[in-house]
């Protein structure tokens, strides 16, 4: 027999601690000799009570128990192990010269996972120890994974609740936008009428026979007030328009649309978010057309721009660059920021659903995965393309016919 | 035990070294010496249950080191105890204990 063949190395056996109990010191020495050679850490005991006292500190991965002992029987010790919470899952193998079926059944009934009979066959002993240690390690890894999945499921449930709330807000927004439009239109019309009235009244008022400071103040301030009200209502109408546009359900219909318009629309929608950010646009003079579901493509651009803006929250002189170019018959849109970029360990996961590095409530980790699926639907590609800063490349097919006919 | 037989045992025990085997054997003989004394005491006290347990221990210890002669004698003691209720005679047990002592002396002499 080749000596190496019986010591088939198991990964990280040094992390594995085998506790052996046998009242025969000779057999203990023999087993320890072989397990030690196979790379296991071993603790040997001749007395069951002593072993049970020490076991708390040992953190074993496997027990090898003799069946017939002077103090407690192996069966009794096994039962105690199996009722003690921190160690109850650790596998127990009996090593004994008791070979009766009844004894074997008793051992398994007490919680043993295996039963090896003496005289020992070393290869068999090592093979069984290896198998059970591996099984236990796998079981522990599975338990940890289940625990991780349970935590993840709980997290996802919270995120879904959040997503549901966002969806509800989206629905409410549509109604709200509609409700705001009516009074806003009314106010806008009245401001125009008021301005006309003031244009008529103002000359009479200025020629009036009074020369007090209040009149002067009214004459100076009134045009500015009217102008301010017009600006204000125009902004309200603009926000409402954007909100209606964004919250509108996609028709699913693809039409010819200009990439520049999509970008302008999204930048306008995100204007408030980009207030403190220097935005550079590199858009070619001639329009580039794509055939797309415009709302969906705008949703993709919004995701990329919002992510970029959020990534630059703590950056001095934040800069966002939106570049559009035509490369080999495809429209290439680059959205880059000078934020910290995507951490290397996250780069492979950012397009996975529910992957997010944002705190709870700031994002649910669906934006990029949805964005990529939308882009794929359009026969395009979306990828992260920089090692430093955030830079995403969105590529979509150019609509040539339209380009020629427009 | 000739050299060839010993090499076979060393191989069977996981290719352990001869010195390690001799060390284990020495310890085993010392343990069996003590157990033989216990056997004799138990026999005087008619404690056959203890005799059976001790014989079982000797059988296991000897067979682990492949000292089959000792293991066989220990098994003989176990069988003799189990048949005691039928025969009522302890002669077989006494004889087997004596054989065990002789066999141990032989092994001790050989090492």
């Amino acid at each position: 027999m080749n000596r190496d063949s019986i010591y088939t190395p198991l990964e990280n056996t040094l992390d594995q601690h085998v506790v052996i109990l046998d009242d025969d010191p000779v057999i203990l020495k023999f087993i320890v000799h072989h397990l030690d050679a196979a790379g296991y850490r071993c603790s040997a005991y001749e007395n069951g009570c002593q072993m049970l006292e020490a076991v708390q500190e040992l953190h074993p991965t496997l027990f090898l128990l003799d069946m017939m002992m002077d103090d407690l029987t192996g069966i009794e010790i096994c039962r105690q192990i199996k009722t003690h919470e921190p160690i109850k899952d650790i596998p127990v193998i009996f090593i004994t010269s008791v070979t009766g079926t009844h004894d074997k059944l008793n051992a398994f009934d007490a919680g043993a996972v295996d039963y090896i009979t003496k005289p020992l066959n070393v290869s068999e002993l090592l093979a069984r120890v290896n198998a059970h240690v591996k099984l236990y390690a796998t079981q522990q890894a599975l338990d940890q994974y289940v625990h991780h999945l349970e935590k993840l499921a709980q997290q996802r449930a919270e995120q879904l609740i959040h997503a549901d709330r966002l969806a509800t807000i989206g629905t409410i927004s549509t109604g709200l936008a509609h409700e705001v439009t009516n009074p806003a239109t009314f106010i806008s019309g009245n401001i125009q009428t008021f301005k006309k009235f003031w244009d008529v009244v103002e000359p009479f008022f200025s020629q009036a026979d009074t020369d007090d400071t209040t009149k002067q103040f009214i004459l100076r301030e009134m045009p500015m007030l009217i102008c301010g009200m017009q600006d204000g209502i125009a902004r309200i109408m603009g926000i409402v328009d954007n909100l209606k546009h964004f919250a509108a359900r996609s028709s699913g219909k693809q039409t010819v649309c200009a990439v520049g318009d999509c970008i302008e629309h999204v930048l306008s929608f995100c204007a408030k978010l980009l207030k403190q950010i220097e935005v550079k646009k590199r858009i070619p003079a001639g329009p580039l057309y794509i055939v797309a579901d415009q709302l969906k493509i705008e949703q993709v651009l919004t995701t990329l721009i919002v992510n970029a803006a959020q990534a630059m929250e703590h950056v001095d002189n934040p800069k966002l660059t939106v570049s559009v170019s035509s490369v080999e018959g495809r429209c290439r849109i680059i959205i880059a920021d000078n934020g910290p970029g995507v951490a290397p360990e996250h780069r492979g996961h950012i397009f996975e659903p529910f992957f997010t590095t944002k705190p709870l409530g700031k994002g649910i980790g669906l934006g990029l995965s949805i964005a990529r699926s939308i882009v794929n639907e359009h026969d395009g590609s979306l990828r992260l393309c920089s090692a430093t800063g955030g830079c995403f490349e969105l590529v979509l097919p150019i609509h040539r016919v339209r380009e020629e006919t427009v | 035990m000739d050299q060839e037989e010993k090499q076979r045992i060393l191989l069977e025990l996981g290719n352990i070294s001869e010195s390690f085997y001799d060390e284990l054997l020495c310890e085993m003989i010392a343990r069996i010496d003590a157990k033989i004394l216990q056997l004799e005491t138990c026999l005087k006290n008619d404690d056959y249950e203890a005799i059976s347990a001790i014989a079982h221990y000797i059988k296991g210890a000897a067979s682990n080191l492949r000292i089959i002669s000792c293991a066989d004698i220990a098994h003989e003691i176990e069988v003799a105890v189990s048949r005691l209720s039928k025969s009522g005679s302890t002669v077989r047990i006494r004889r087997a204990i004596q054989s065990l002592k002789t066999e141990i002396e032989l092994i001790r002499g050989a090492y």
Side-chain angles (χ1 to χ4, degrees), chain A residues 1 3 6 23-27 29-30 33-34 68 97 118-120 122, chain B residues 11 13-16 20 23-24 27-28 31 56-57 61 63-66:
Chain A
M1 187 194 294
R3 187 179 172 81
I6 64 167
D23 58 358
D24 181 351
V26 178
I27 195 79
K29 195 182 264 188
F30 178 72
H33 171 84
H34 284 295
M68 290 179 71
S97 48
K118 293 176 185 172
L120 287 174
V122 179
Chain B
L11 208 60
L13 294 180
N15 209 8
I16 57 173
F20 182 55
E23 183 187 323
L24 294 177
E27 284 183 37
M28 186 204 79
R31 296 274 297 179
H56 181 82
Y57 169 85
S63 59
N64 274 323
L65 294 187
R66 308 304 192 261

Side-chain angles (χ1 to χ4, degrees), chain A residues 309-326:
Chain A
Q310 287 177 342
M312 293 187 288
E313 256 177 20
H314 305 292
V315 171
D316 293 332
N317 305 317
K319 281 175 193 151
L320 175 78
T321 310
V322 183
S323 321
V324 181
S325 58
S326 163

Side-chain angles (χ1 to χ4, degrees), chain A residues 82-215:
Chain A
K82 293 297 159 190
T83 52
H84 195 51
E85 188 59 39
I87 54 170
K88 71 180 178 61
D89 294 327
I90 299 168
V92 173
I93 300 177
F94 276 105
I95 298 185
T96 176
S97 48
V98 179
T99 55
T101 306
H102 179 71
D103 298 299
K104 287 180 184 174
L105 291 177
N106 264 349
F108 286 112
D109 186 54
V113 292
D114 211 344
Y115 195 98
I116 303 171
T117 51
K118 293 176 185 172
L120 287 174
N121 177 305
V122 179
S123 304
E124 184 189 338
L125 169 74
L126 290 175
R128 287 177 191 260
V129 166
N130 282 348
H132 286 291
V133 163
K134 205 170 178 177
L135 203 64
Y136 179 56
T138 310
Q139 183 63 49
Q140 277 191 312
L142 270 175
D143 287 348
Q144 276 178 10
Y145 192 60
V146 166
H147 182 66
H148 166 74
L149 284 180
E150 279 169 352
K151 268 177 75 179
L152 213 61
Q154 195 183 347
Q155 227 174 43
R156 297 288 189 260
E158 284 168 12
Q159 286 167 341
L160 280 173
I161 291 167
H162 185 70
D164 189 50
R165 279 185 193 145
L166 287 180
T168 309
I169 289 169
T171 311
I172 292 169
S173 299
T174 316
L176 198 67
H178 182 74
E179 291 302 318
V180 172
T181 302
N182 286 339
T185 309
F186 175 73
I187 293 168
S188 175
N190 282 0
I191 291 169
Q192 281 177 36
T193 309
F194 182 79
K195 187 175 181 301
K196 279 179 192 166
F197 286 177
W198 175 250
D199 289 344
V200 173
V201 170
E202 196 253 341
F204 297 103
F205 187 66
S206 58
Q207 287 164 20
D209 217 9
T210 54
D211 194 22
D212 57 36
T213 50
T214 308
K215 188 183 92 177

Side-chain angles (χ1 to χ4, degrees), chain A residues 41-110:
Chain A
R41 280 191 298 127
C42 298
S43 295
Y45 290 87
E46 289 178 39
N47 180 290
C49 294
Q50 281 175 4
M51 187 206 81
L52 285 173
E53 274 173 31
V55 82
Q56 303 278 25
E57 312 296 322
L58 295 174
H59 305 293
T61 35
L62 184 82
F63 287 104
L64 290 177
L65 303 185
D66 185 17
M67 183 86 91
M68 290 179 71
M69 305 283 297
D70 287 339
D71 51 352
L72 293 168
T73 68
I75 297 284
E76 285 168 330
I77 292 164
C78 184
R79 287 196 199 283
Q80 290 203 26
I81 289 170
K82 293 297 159 190
T83 52
H84 195 51
E85 188 59 39
I87 54 170
K88 71 180 178 61
D89 294 327
I90 299 168
V92 173
I93 300 177
F94 276 105
I95 298 185
T96 176
S97 48
V98 179
T99 55
T101 306
H102 179 71
D103 298 299
K104 287 180 184 174
L105 291 177
N106 264 349
F108 286 112
D109 186 54

